[in-house]
Amino acid sequence: MKKTSVKTVGILTSGGDAPGLNAAIRGICRSAMINYGMKIVGIRNGYRGLVNGDCISIGSDDLAGLLTQGGTILGTARDKPFKNPVPNPETGLLPIEAIKKNYKKWKLDALCVLGGNGTNTTGNLLYEEGLNVIGLPKTIDNDIVGTDITFGFHTAVDVATEAIDRIHTTAHSHSRVMVVEVMGHKAGWLGLYSGIAGGGDVILLPEIPYDIKHVASQILARRDAGKEFSIVVVAEGALSVEEAKLDKKAFKKARAAMTQSIGYRVAQELEAATGLESRVSVLGYLQRGGTPSPYDRLLATQFGVAAADFLANEEFGKLVAMRDNKIVGVPLSECAKKVKNIPKDHPLIQTARSCGTCFGD
């Protein structure tokens, strides 16, 4: 067993759940226990548990079956302790004061946070407050700066692609325009990958504002060529060229006024512009639920084992990341408050365009 001054580690999962979280927890814990003799404290419900003092002890028996299990055994929440902090009415402590108190109470030497942009941004703030923090990149959106890939993404691509495959048969049978709405609020990686893999005729992404006239023209051209159906893949954060001209406040107001999600709006616009029957499927939470794919199990396990090494070597303030098929440590400060968007010259976008896919521009 290797020597390290890090004896007790806290683990939490925060933000939306994603396939691979339990596999990552298992990877961290098994490596930390077997190789370094560390004790693991599981913190329930993300940063909320860290503030409220809600934790459990994790032993080797608790890790059985986690590799294939979806969700997170620790629970999760979207609490942001640094955003509009108010004192606890009972203790009078601010969230950061409560966190430091529990960190000391549990005798933690370090904290490992598993999550997306918000989680790792908070992790960086805790590191700046003097806590020893390591971050892991979890999100089906694949939008964390500093890493080529996040665990959860490939499973979501698999699920979304299978859904698009199935919708193809209905679209063909009924000669319809089928709009498939996938997740991706600020970045369209999931829409791009699943749209190409599922043979989408149109892919609408947050990074490329669309003109509905161009989309309608593409669909009518397909009809005139004897293709009676079309598949339109829409990321939930897709926006029109008109919306792209709005400032942030005006855009939020416009979106708040929408009674349905973007997929429904696109379908209505296309039906009006083409006269073709259009229907919508919103995949929603199906994309991030269920058992992780083999790829995500491997990736999450790799990240987890690497995180244990980072902890043992006291490489704090880092995100465990994958770059050029190598695991590296990226400063959390480089990832905080940032989103990894798709470059407009990304090879996959060029590939799709070469195959005749329309992006609405």
Side-chain angles (χ1 to χ4, degrees), residues 5-273:
S5 61
V6 176
K7 305 299 182 184
T8 306
V9 175
I11 300 178
L12 64 82
T13 57
S14 180
D17 68 304
L21 274 170
N22 284 325
I25 292 170
R26 173 182 176 272
I28 298 167
C29 292
R30 285 180 65 87
S31 183
M33 293 172 182
I34 293 170
N35 296 311
Y36 302 106
M38 295 179 188
K39 294 181 180 179
I40 307 296
V41 175
I43 300 164
R44 289 193 175 109
N45 301 318
Y47 291 113
R48 181 184 302 171
L50 191 57
V51 172
N52 295 337
D54 189 1
C55 73
I56 56 173
S57 176
I58 297 180
S60 57
D61 291 343
D62 299 311
L63 306 177
L66 287 193
L67 186 64
T68 60
Q69 187 175 328
T72 165
I73 59 167
L74 296 176
T76 187
R78 294 187 181 276
D79 293 39
K80 298 178 180 179
F82 288 90
K83 187 175 182 179
N84 303 320
V86 294
N88 183 296
E90 295 181 5
T91 65
L93 295 176
L94 288 167
I96 183 58
E97 295 171 335
I99 286 172
K100 289 181 176 179
K101 180 179 178 181
N102 289 323
Y103 186 92
K104 185 176 181 179
K105 175 183 176 182
W106 297 333
K107 298 180 179 179
L108 299 184
D109 297 304
L111 179 66
C112 198
V113 302
L114 286 64
N117 293 304
T119 300
N120 285 292
T121 295
T122 299
N124 181 59
L125 292 172
L126 291 176
Y127 177 66
E128 291 177 348
E129 288 284 340
L131 277 61
N132 297 328
V133 180
I134 294 290
L136 269 73
K138 171 277 315 174
T139 171
I140 68 165
D141 290 335
N142 195 38
D143 63 350
I144 298 179
V145 169
T147 185
D148 294 340
I149 196 72
T150 61
F151 64 86
F153 174 64
H154 271 273
T155 303
V157 170
D158 288 349
V159 172
T161 301
E162 182 180 357
I164 295 168
D165 288 347
R166 292 177 179 274
I167 285 168
H168 258 98
T169 60
T170 292
H172 185 271
S173 297
H174 292 270
S175 300
R176 287 174 176 166
V177 175
M178 296 296 291
V179 177
V180 185
E181 184 182 308
V182 301
M183 286 183 168
H185 182 62
K186 294 182 179 179
W189 295 100
L190 179 56
L192 179 63
Y193 274 63
S194 64
I196 294 174
D201 304 299
V202 178
I203 302 173
L204 304 183
L205 308 171
E207 291 87 348
I208 306 176
Y210 70 86
D211 185 331
I212 199 66
K213 293 179 182 178
H214 292 171
V215 179
S217 177
Q218 170 84 351
I219 290 171
L220 289 173
R222 282 178 51 78
R223 183 202 60 183
D224 294 342
K227 299 172 182 177
E228 298 294 334
F229 75 94
S230 292
I231 301 294
V232 181
V233 178
V234 182
E236 63 182 335
L239 71 165
S240 68
V241 289
E242 292 81 12
E243 289 174 316
K245 297 174 184 176
L246 301 175
D247 60 32
K248 189 174 181 180
K249 184 177 181 180
F251 178 76
K252 279 190 173 183
K253 185 177 180 181
R255 280 301 165 96
M258 287 173 56
T259 57
Q260 293 177 301
S261 64
I262 187 66
Y264 287 95
R265 190 184 79 184
V266 168
Q268 290 165 3
E269 291 174 336
L270 287 176
E271 192 164 287

